[in-house]
Amino acid sequence: MGRRGPLGRGAAVLAAAALALVATACTSQKAGDTGRGNDDGKTKVGLVTKTDSNPFFVALREAASAQAKKDSAELVALAGKFDGDNEGQVAALENLVQQGVDAILITPSNSTGILGAIKKAREKGILVIALDTETEPKDAVDATFATDNLEAGKSQGAYVKAALAGKEPKLLMLDGSPGGTVDEMRHRGFLAGIGIAEGDAKILGKESTNGDQNKAQQAMENLLQRAAEVNAVYTINEPAARGGYAALAARGRAAQVLVGSIDGGCQGVQDVKDGKYAVTVMQFPKKMAEQGVQAAVEFTKSGKKPGGFVNTGSVVITDKPVAGIDSKDTAWGLQNCWG
């Protein structure tokens, strides 16, 4: 979640600006003693997601917009052109600083590449909160509201191990984007959960997919050419799982391979219900967005900053529960999914 050539700085700024989505609240309230806020008293919050098309980030953006309206704030939402577009996100942050936002919520595509732009924003007194993806180091932002991605990866891996029922794993891994904290944590967590060390011969192959369905399908097709005996697949997210499943189904191998994923989008839960993959680990982007906007509004009113890592939770979703792993079925999942 490979690499494309970097965007030119001017083009990146224009691309980011073209993706702006603005939600303006209905009423106004004067800012507190901090002296921040717009002339009409509204908090102005910037949101920068990895893309504007992935269902997870669509759900996150919609929840942030709804919360901003509820809290009489203004939201300006920008995004990278693709997962891994660090330069596009840097341009988006610079754009938001120029617009005079009070706070920025960001899901970093590159947990180290974005640090310079974040530092410049914070030096101007702007609150910066990471959503979904931690920066490296973690204290490069004021706070993080996210899934514990290491734990979510462990849950996926532990389920796949138990569902293999004693069979030795023959694993393929559809990873995300190089340099992403989420990608690294989920990958590492999965291996811990399934009980395989990095570099073990049980890992038959792995490829980056940028969390994209089409790239994941091509990656799986490539991997299957040299690892047809696969019996388990790790995927970074549900679009990657759908792409992996499509490649397996085209070879008539889908029924023999256990596919696990992470996200909890409504399409993903339906895919589990339909038997396309065995399990997904649901996360809660709505909580991340709502809590991020609330913290931004509080900061503008009182100067109070959030701090540290706030775990917004995860739940294993499957219709084939296994001993020792807490899970919910897809009926529950479809009632609580997003997207």
Side-chain angles (χ1 to χ4, degrees):
M1 339 190 332
R3 275 275 185 242
R4 302 183 186 181
L7 293 172
R9 180 54 54 91
V13 171
L14 292 174
L19 290 168
L21 296 167
V22 180
T24 304
C26 300
T27 60
S28 65
Q29 183 173 6
K30 285 293 180 184
D33 296 335
T34 63
R36 300 198 63 82
N38 294 332
D39 291 341
D40 59 5
K42 292 178 182 177
T43 300
K44 191 170 185 178
V45 183
L47 173 67
V48 181
T49 52
K50 295 180 183 179
T51 74
D52 66 348
S53 56
N54 182 301
F56 180 90
F57 299 118
V58 171
L60 191 148
R61 184 180 68 230
E62 290 174 347
S65 177
Q67 188 65 42
K69 185 174 182 180
K70 182 178 179 180
D71 289 346
S72 299
E74 178 184 353
L75 183 76
V76 181
L78 306 175
K81 294 187 70 174
F82 55 89
D83 198 332
D85 179 17
N86 180 69
E87 187 169 346
Q89 287 199 318
V90 168
L93 261 72
E94 293 171 349
N95 182 315
L96 292 169
V97 170
Q98 291 173 0
Q99 291 193 48
V101 298
D102 301 293
I104 295 173
L105 315 177
I106 182 167
T107 63
S109 277
N110 187 306
S111 298
T112 56
I114 199 69
L115 296 183
I118 289 175
K119 184 174 184 290
K120 290 178 182 178
R122 294 181 72 190
E123 286 173 346
K124 290 185 176 295
I126 297 170
L127 179 75
V128 181
I129 296 173
L131 303 182
D132 174 61
T133 305
E134 292 179 272
T135 54
E136 190 178 330
K138 298 177 182 180
D139 62 2
V141 292
D142 292 290
T144 301
F145 297 90
T147 305
D148 183 335
N149 283 290
L150 186 66
E151 190 59 36
K154 286 181 180 177
S155 296
Q156 185 190 159
Y159 179 89
V160 171
K161 179 180 180 178
L164 284 172
K167 296 178 184 176
E168 182 175 280
K170 297 176 181 179
L171 177 66
L172 291 176
M173 306 189 74
L174 296 179
D175 285 319
S177 297
T181 303
V182 166
D183 314 87
E184 185 274 332
M185 293 179 75
R186 291 183 184 178
H187 176 107
R188 181 159 49 91
F190 180 89
L191 292 181
I194 200 172
I196 298 176
E198 191 71 68
D200 193 294
K202 297 184 184 71
I203 304 174
L204 305 184
K206 56 187 176 181
E207 283 200 24
S208 297
T209 68
N210 293 99
D212 177 81
Q213 181 172 339
N214 292 331
K215 289 184 179 180
Q217 183 171 346
Q218 183 62 58
M220 180 59 79
E221 289 170 355
N222 295 340
L223 290 167
L224 287 173
Q225 291 177 12
R226 57 182 185 271
E229 69 274 27
V230 57
N231 64 5
V233 174
Y234 157 82
T235 66
I236 181 64
N237 63 7
E238 288 166 356
R242 282 192 284 278
Y245 171 81
L248 288 165
R251 287 198 169 217
R253 294 281 293 133
Q256 292 79 45
V257 180
L258 259 166
V259 179
S261 196
I262 299 175
D263 259 350
C266 293
Q267 182 59 58
V269 175
Q270 186 64 48
D271 288 343
V272 173
K273 182 177 181 180
D274 293 343
K276 293 182 178 180
Y277 30 104
V279 64
T280 192
V281 182
M282 179 178 286
Q283 46 182 349
F284 300 96
K286 183 178 178 181
K287 287 184 181 180
M288 300 175 198
E290 289 174 346
Q291 292 178 19
V293 171
Q294 288 167 352
V297 172
E298 178 60 33
F299 167 69
T300 307
K301 290 180 179 178
S302 69
K304 180 182 177 181
K305 290 185 177 183
F309 180 88
V310 179
N311 182 10
T312 51
S314 61
V315 175
V316 174
I317 305 294
T318 184
D319 285 332
K320 298 178 180 178
V322 295
I325 298 178
D326 292 334
S327 65
K328 299 287 189 181
D329 63 18
T330 57
W332 185 93
L334 289 170
Q335 291 176 345
N336 291 275
C337 62
W338 44 265

